[in-house]
Amino acid sequence: MAATMRDVAEAAGVSIATVSFVVNDSKRVAPATRRKIELAMAELGFRPNKVARALASRRTQIIALVYPALEHPMATAMDFLISASRAATAADHQLVVWLVSYDGNELAALVGQQLVDGVLLMEVQLDDPRVAVLQDLGIPFAVIGRTRDVAELCYVDIDFDTTMQVAMDHLAELGHTRIAFINGSQDDPGFASYGPWVRSEIAYRDLTAARGIDPVVLQSRQGVRAGRAAAAELIGTAPDTTAVIMAVETAAAGLVVELGRLGRPVPHNISVVTINGMPDIAASCNPPLTVVTAPGTELGRLGVEALLSQFDPNAPLRRELRTGELILGESTGPVLRAAAAAGRPAKGKARGVARGV
Amino acid sequence: MAATMRDVAEAAGVSIATVSFVVNDSKRVAPATRRKIELAMAELGFRPNKVARALASRRTQIIALVYPALEHPMATAMDFLISASRAATAADHQLVVWLVSYDGNELAALVGQQLVDGVLLMEVQLDDPRVAVLQDLGIPFAVIGRTRDVAELCYVDIDFDTTMQVAMDHLAELGHTRIAFINGSQDDPGFASYGPWVRSEIAYRDLTAARGIDPVVLQSRQGVRAGRAAAAELIGTAPDTTAVIMAVETAAAGLVVELGRLGRPVPHNISVVTINGMPDIAASCNPPLTVVTAPGTELGRLGVEALLSQFDPNAPLRRELRTGELILGESTGPVLRAAAAAGRPAKGKARGVARGV
DNA sequence: TTGAAAGCGCTAACAG
DNA sequence: CTGTTAGCGCTTTCAA
């Protein structure tokens, strides 16, 4: 069996308390004694037992990452997990993964096991039952995203305003003024009022209003097929559109393909920029997509840091918003003069077929 | 504070041991007493403290998922994690994530904390230092993948032979006899002798030999750009190829695009099937790729089950191989008669440009 | 500066 | 069937 503190204490000829002091560096210990103890520890290969430590100190140094994988799968989940785990490790904590739904009871049961010191909630909803549950339980927690009412809430989130602005600035610089927004669909189960979509749409409407652009908002569900449908709808309802901001990354490939098929090749006839997407997914499209990335990597770290900061009772409430970066692909280009001026689709069939050659 | 067993015992007028018996269902308890205790538990909202339980029973009911995210990122990691976590939950265990490299020391330090009962190793290498470390430590573990020497090893892995066979059968049925294999690159750091690639290539060579097919093996690194290069190399070195089995999913999009650009459109002129890929990635390509999927979902569950089975001292050593499924996309089609017969590329430019229309 | 001792909340013999 | 008791390995007063 592994050596215990008692073994070390005996080997070093000191008391178990003193060993504890040097292990945790929690009290001054005479250099000589410390040396004896360190020697004994090395010889015995002593490793403090986390479980015993947790029981005695009432701190497990474990935090839970709560991810509703079934209800809200997200492409960036792994990025997020990785950066969260790194941040936890850096602060001498471990991460357990809880794949629970939005049912607060399940979460409460897990918290009740007293296995974790805090909870990091992913994919929080505008009205999220889990938040109230955790507040009642009195366990420290931070959320990724924001509830509708944000009072007292410790959160980190994407800055959707800036994200939208980056996308729109990019298109504006290319001369676009007819910029549609394809948002996620309310019909998608579980996404009825999904914070990122709600906030993105508000940002889009604000920005178009401020710039005198006619807002055109469509909705698309997830997946390539839905993207194709969105393309058809877009051309049907707003044929003079020259650029699209796309919030549904999984549908972006379908959108682009179908636009080409409809004689509106990307980027020659219509520009497409996705928001809150992932670089590698954007890059693997044809043409590679211009994207404002989701800052998943940063949010994971920030979320953990915000959570851990709460263990310090007189630390201020942390809240952070972050914006991803604009990665230029080949799905955005200058506006077609003819289309922009006339408000009609360019005769694109021939060009469309020749795309990318 | 949360109610403890002592509180329950007092409230129910029994001893703490009896409470323990009903909580764990570990001994017969008279129905009447049990009822009293259950009532007291309900009233006090008692939740057994996992940490105390772990210390006393020497079982934490936590297992570690070890994922070398930096060295071996894998697209299916999240699928895997999710299914592993579900399996763990089903068996009343929790999952912690350890993002450690192949350096065994880091792993040994973590295990030494005695926080976990067992370890599940992802992305195991043919010669993996972590395996020896865990064996020395004497902690139960299972691996995903296989080391070169598999003696005594508890593993679950993809069945690369069957996977290759499924891909090749599919192509053979379409009339293909000139089937190249694009494997991962040895040059990719950390992938020098990567089990899946080594085993896939062996399978390819065996199968081509058995079927009288001239083997053509190229290597590609990760990413769209590498895929383009692979396409050029393929057409340069084996122009009469009519079908490709692609082991590098991240490069598949580039491969397909570049083949089209080189006048060898997919699938009209060349068929492409990826192996060990993910359905959604395959579907988001243009054209959607035919793929033999990686059974990530199944492997996560099996890995956890195999690991947990070791806690039963007289359970047999578990080993499992699984094959994904063939998902038909639009990247594979019947062999071109002209090309097959003449061993020359078809005049594909015109058709290539018209692909998918 | 060090040690003694009382827990942390629960499990598991062993008695009764 | 139930209670007593001795830990699990460590932290943390409180004395010395």
Side-chain angles (χ1 to χ4, degrees), chain A residues 86-104:
Chain A
R86 287 206 188 306
T89 301
D92 193 26
H93 283 249
Q94 306 219 16
L95 211 63
V96 302
V97 178
W98 289 350
L99 300 181
V100 303
S101 72
Y102 289 96
D103 169 26

Side-chain angles (χ1 to χ4, degrees), chain A:
Chain A
M1 277 289 96
T4 73
M5 260 189 182
R6 162 180 259 94
D7 299 330
V8 175
E10 280 173 9
V14 299
S15 87
I16 182 180
T18 312
V19 177
S20 176
F21 298 151
V22 353
V23 166
N24 301 304
D25 211 24
S26 50
K27 248 187 194 175
R28 287 209 61 72
V29 170
T33 333
R34 153 164 269 130
R35 212 175 310 285
K36 274 193 306 185
I37 292 172
E38 278 166 349
L39 193 72
M41 293 200 302
E43 282 186 344
L44 294 173
F46 170 74
R47 303 265 167 214
N49 181 313
K50 283 276 179 191
V51 176
R53 208 189 90 79
L55 182 59
S57 68
R58 307 149 147 276
R59 297 272 275 94
T60 61
Q61 314 257 95
I62 302 175
I63 59 184
L65 184 67
V66 177
Y67 173 40
L70 216 61
E71 294 79 9
H72 271 243
M74 57 187 287
T76 55
M78 204 22 123
D79 278 352
F80 187 87
L81 171 81
I82 289 171
S83 78
S85 179
R86 287 206 188 306
T89 301
D92 193 26
H93 283 249
Q94 306 219 16
L95 211 63
V96 302
V97 178
W98 289 350
L99 300 181
V100 303
S101 72
Y102 289 96
D103 169 26
N105 293 327
E106 219 179 331
L107 184 56
L110 255 357
V111 170
Q113 308 192 357
Q114 298 167 77
L115 206 246
V116 305
D117 295 334
V119 174
L120 187 56
L121 242 41
M122 288 170 67
E123 292 287 283
V124 71
Q125 306 262 50
L126 283 180
D127 301 286
D128 198 310
R130 303 174 300 173
V131 168
V133 165
L134 292 179
Q135 278 165 340
D136 284 359
L137 258 23
I139 189 173
F141 71 100
V143 312
I144 313 302
R146 274 167 288 171
T147 48
R148 200 184 305 278
D149 173 19
V150 110
E152 298 294 304
L153 191 72
C154 173
Y155 65 78
V156 307
D157 199 358
I158 296 174
D159 183 334
F160 296 102
D161 293 322
T162 307
T163 298
M164 185 59 74
Q165 197 179 323
V166 168
M168 218 175 264
D169 282 350
H170 172 59
L171 295 173
E173 278 168 17
L174 293 169
H176 294 277
T177 54
R178 303 195 163 278
I179 304 172
F181 176 49
I182 301 183
N183 204 356
S185 169
Q186 308 269 352
D187 298 340
D188 245 323
F191 288 77
S193 60
Y194 184 48
W197 293 346
V198 170
R199 295 204 163 84
S200 291
E201 184 162 337
I202 292 173
Y204 170 81
R205 292 194 184 275
D206 287 351
L207 281 173
T208 49
R211 298 176 186 207
I213 297 175
D214 279 344
V216 175
V217 178
L218 303 185
Q219 294 194 345
S220 167
R221 304 186 64 152
Q222 306 276 344
V224 177
R225 173 164 314 225
R228 303 188 109 111
E233 189 187 346
L234 178 69
I235 299 310
T237 61
D240 55 350
T241 299
T242 66
V244 181
I245 296 174
M246 179 63 173
V248 191
E249 185 177 38
T250 54
L255 173 72
V256 169
V257 168
E258 190 66 15
L259 283 174
R261 200 166 286 198
L262 292 171
R264 311 291 298 269
V266 174
H268 310 299
N269 189 287
I270 290 194
S271 288
V272 172
V273 49
T274 61
I275 56 173
N276 305 322
M278 297 184 61
D280 55 337
I281 292 182
S284 73
C285 284
N286 180 27
L289 264 29
T290 296
V291 58
V292 185
T293 61
T297 298
E298 221 178 345
L299 290 187
R301 178 177 57 75
L302 290 171
V304 167
E305 288 175 359
L307 171 58
L308 296 182
S309 77
Q310 295 178 62
F311 296 157
D312 175 0
N314 47 2
L317 180 62
R318 278 190 58 170
R319 295 172 163 181
E320 313 270 1
L321 295 183
R322 286 294 188 279
T323 308
E325 22 174 4
L326 176 71
I327 296 186
L328 293 179
E330 297 163 21
S331 66
T332 47
V335 67
L336 272 186
R337 178 152 296 284
R344 281 180 275 106
K347 291 242 173 68
K349 193 74 181 181
R351 309 180 61 122
V353 174
R355 79 171 174 284
V357 173

